[in-house]
Amino acid sequence: QVQLVESGGGLVQAGGSLRLSCAASGTIFSINRMGWYRQAPGKQRELVATITSGGSTNYADSVKGRFTISRDNAKNTVYLQMSSLKPEDTAVYYCYAYAAIRLGSWNDYWGPGTQVTVSS
């Protein structure tokens, strides 16, 4: 199986920055897409940003220009640099990976989540 562990969440004032990291470990044959989703209280989980192994990125409109996703394929790690944070960015942020533990065995994997709180 593949395990994802997030780090870097916390409390920050509006306008501040945070950097999230997520490392994948376990029996990994290949990782295609990695990314971040978030879920605020009372809301559904939503896409924040994703990145493929080739470096193609996709962002939610609400974070474009403020958040940057990057990836270190050698370390099976994905990062999310968050800047100009707003109170509405407050949520639990979940790391995601579309990975294979052997040839042809692709599945979705999720981290336990890390809390990001932006105070006004």
Side-chain angles (χ1 to χ4, degrees):
Q1 296 297 315
V2 177
Q3 293 81 43
L4 302 176
V5 178
E6 304 103 336
S7 61
L11 174 64
V12 64
Q13 288 189 331
S17 299
L18 278 176
R19 188 191 194 212
L20 304 182
S21 300
C22 172
S25 62
T27 306
I28 300 173
F29 174 75
S30 181
I31 301 178
N32 184 340
R33 193 167 57 254
M34 298 187 79
W36 296 91
Y37 286 71
R38 66 187 182 186
Q39 187 168 18
K43 295 187 177 181
Q44 291 188 329
R45 190 174 298 189
E46 63 177 6
L47 168 74
V48 176
T50 60
I51 185 168
T52 67
S53 56
S56 296
T57 58
N58 181 44
Y59 293 93
D61 288 342
S62 59
V63 306
K64 283 181 181 177
R66 300 188 298 121
F67 291 10
T68 302
I69 190 169
S70 60
R71 177 172 171 173
D72 186 332
N73 290 330
K75 295 181 178 179
N76 290 328
T77 299
V78 63
Y79 307 95
L80 186 68
Q81 179 66 47
M82 304 184 292
S83 302
S84 302
L85 283 161
K86 305 175 181 179
E88 50 263 44
D89 294 317
T90 295
V92 177
Y93 283 69
Y94 296 92
C95 179
Y96 162 82
Y98 183 60
I101 60 173
R102 58 182 175 274
L103 183 64
S105 178
W106 292 92
N107 283 290
D108 297 322
Y109 295 92
W110 295 91
T114 186
Q115 177 71 46
V116 171
T117 302
V118 184
S119 62
S120 57

